Amino acid sequence: MACMNPTVTSVTGVTSVTAVTGKAVTHVNTPPIGGVTIVTPVTPRTVLAIDPGLSGAYAVLDASGAIVEVGDLPLIGTGTQRRIDAANLAAIVRRLSPERSILEAVNAMPGQGVSSMFRFGQSLGTVAGVLGACSVPVQWVTPAKWKREAGIGADKEVGRQRAIETWPAHATTFARKKDHGRAEAALMALWGIRNDR
């Protein structure tokens, strides 16, 4: 899977190998070459969605829509030099090893300043670059499309409340007003689970 180190098992004369790595299980039914079989772990089907702004977040859901992990995007720098920490984001993506990802296909909006749009574009580019480097397929969706299907509009507070209703056991994850990025990432991931291409 994406950005995951394979488990190498030394085998002689065995044609079936089962490797268990954490939650991942893989069965290999091919004869080993030169006494070594490379077993690549298969993780449960998961979808990663990222709300890419500087106040953004990520969420990973399993195929049933249950939350695997939700968190804020890692940042470095201060003030106008604040940006997404690509190295730490890559470490998160490698650790979670999602099957695919969901990103918003956003455009410039009227009334936004040039510098804020540049910073947002830089953030989105960093996220897309990390996902590409980790070989995680990206499915792009417009905010209007996934929000319409989630039953929320542009009001971020409505999205946060919808996330609390959807995952009440994780209500503390979305408890603060500033957790709207986490809520949007989780709801976008849920859209991805329901719209598996």
Side-chain angles (χ1 to χ4, degrees):
M1 290 307 297
C3 285
M4 188 175 257
N5 296 325
T7 302
V8 179
T9 308
S10 181
V11 182
T12 305
V14 177
T15 58
S16 180
V17 178
T18 301
V20 179
T21 306
K23 294 187 286 183
V25 178
T26 299
H27 299 281
V28 177
N29 291 313
T30 57
I33 299 171
V36 175
T37 299
I38 297 178
V39 180
T40 303
V42 175
T43 58
R45 291 187 59 205
T46 56
V47 172
L48 165 68
I50 298 177
D51 180 25
L54 291 179
S55 61
Y58 66 92
V60 177
L61 304 183
D62 68 17
S64 72
I67 290 177
V68 174
E69 184 171 315
V70 175
D72 298 319
L73 290 178
L75 301 176
I76 55 174
T78 58
T80 59
Q81 298 302 310
R82 210 167 58 128
R83 61 195 179 282
I84 293 177
D85 183 346
N88 279 323
L89 180 58
I92 291 168
V93 172
R94 280 191 298 271
R95 178 176 51 78
L96 294 170
S97 192
E99 179 182 68
R100 60 194 180 90
S101 62
I102 310 296
L103 283 179
E104 283 185 325
V106 293
N107 296 309
M109 296 185 339
Q112 287 189 309
V114 173
S115 62
S116 67
M117 283 309 301
F118 180 82
R119 281 194 303 272
F120 182 79
Q122 185 181 37
S123 296
L124 182 60
T126 299
V127 169
V130 165
L131 293 171
C134 289
S135 301
V136 178
V138 176
Q139 181 176 357
W140 295 89
V141 61
T142 63
K145 184 172 185 175
W146 78 259
K147 287 182 178 187
R148 181 174 50 252
E149 291 186 31
I152 63 172
D155 186 344
K156 294 185 182 297
E157 183 59 21
V158 172
R160 196 175 67 81
Q161 290 302 319
R162 178 61 47 88
I164 291 170
E165 292 166 7
T166 305
W167 298 283
H170 295 275
T172 56
T173 301
F174 311 110
R176 304 169 301 171
K177 294 262 188 206
K178 69 177 189 175
D179 291 333
H180 61 83
R182 294 176 178 184
E184 289 200 351
L187 292 168
M188 199 181 342
L190 186 59
W191 177 90
I193 294 290
R194 293 176 175 165
N195 293 276
D196 191 2
R197 47 181 170 156

